[in-house]
Amino acid sequence: MDIIDRKLLMLLQQDSTKTTKELSLKLNLSVTAIYERVKKLEREGVINKYVAILNQKKVDKSFVVFCHIKLIQHTKEYLTRFEQEITQLDEVLECYHVSGDYDYILKIYVKDMEAYREFMVTKLTTLQHIGSTHSTFMISEVKNTNIITL
């Protein structure tokens, strides 16, 4: 990956709807050269996918919860089962297996506290092997970016 690829990736991270023509003008390359570079980055797995980032308030999902999960045991079976089940919950946008006092951290988006309570009671606490949970609620978003500086 050269300096042009890095610049191209930065531009695509900022706005992936830019056309190859717009990108070519910014990088002083031909449209064909930009197209080939993008395709190469996609083939190599550097670019995984293109997505639309939604406004959480406009879609009624602005209540953000970080939920720390501790399993009752750390067996491979329990970890695998929990991970399979958690990926099925639409409210959970991110799940990380972590070190420290807890085993997992979940990032959950719901409408409000009532919706979170409903999620906890009807979905999360029904999963097997959860020993304890600890929820932290977002007060305000200070920084949220998907851009990886290259």
Side-chain angles (χ1 to χ4, degrees), residues 26-109:
K26 288 198 181 261
L27 297 173
N28 295 319
L29 289 173
S30 70
V31 172
T32 304
I34 293 295
Y35 177 82
E36 291 301 324
R37 282 177 180 268
V38 170
K39 289 301 171 196
K40 178 185 73 129
L41 292 165
E42 290 172 349
R43 270 192 318 276
E44 293 174 352
V46 176
I47 297 173
N48 286 332
K49 61 184 170 180
Y50 301 92
V51 298
I53 298 173
L54 306 182
N55 180 322
Q56 298 155 223
K57 290 178 184 159
K58 300 270 186 188
V59 295
D60 248 355
K61 300 289 183 183
S62 60
F63 193 75
V64 181
V65 183
F66 297 94
C67 184
H68 299 72
I69 305 283
K70 191 180 292 189
L71 300 183
I72 55 175
Q73 287 184 12
H74 298 105
T75 65
K76 183 176 182 177
E77 175 196 338
Y78 285 16
L79 296 172
T80 303
R81 178 75 183 261
F82 174 79
E83 290 174 7
Q84 288 171 345
E85 291 174 341
I86 207 70
T87 60
Q88 302 305 307
L89 302 179
D90 293 335
E91 296 85 351
V92 178
L93 271 70
E94 299 175 40
C95 175
Y96 301 98
H97 189 188
V98 297
S99 64
D101 293 338
Y102 294 93
D103 300 312
Y104 292 91
I105 298 176
L106 313 179
K107 189 174 184 184
I108 301 164
Y109 287 75

Side-chain angles (χ1 to χ4, degrees), residues 66 107 138-145:
F66 297 94
K107 189 174 184 184
M138 180 183 77
I139 294 171
S140 69
E141 188 174 270
V142 177
K143 181 178 181 179
N144 180 350
T145 184

Side-chain angles (χ1 to χ4, degrees), residues 127-139:
L127 299 184
Q128 296 181 13
H129 315 307
I130 293 180
S132 66
T133 65
H134 175 86
S135 299
T136 304
F137 307 102
M138 180 183 77
I139 294 171

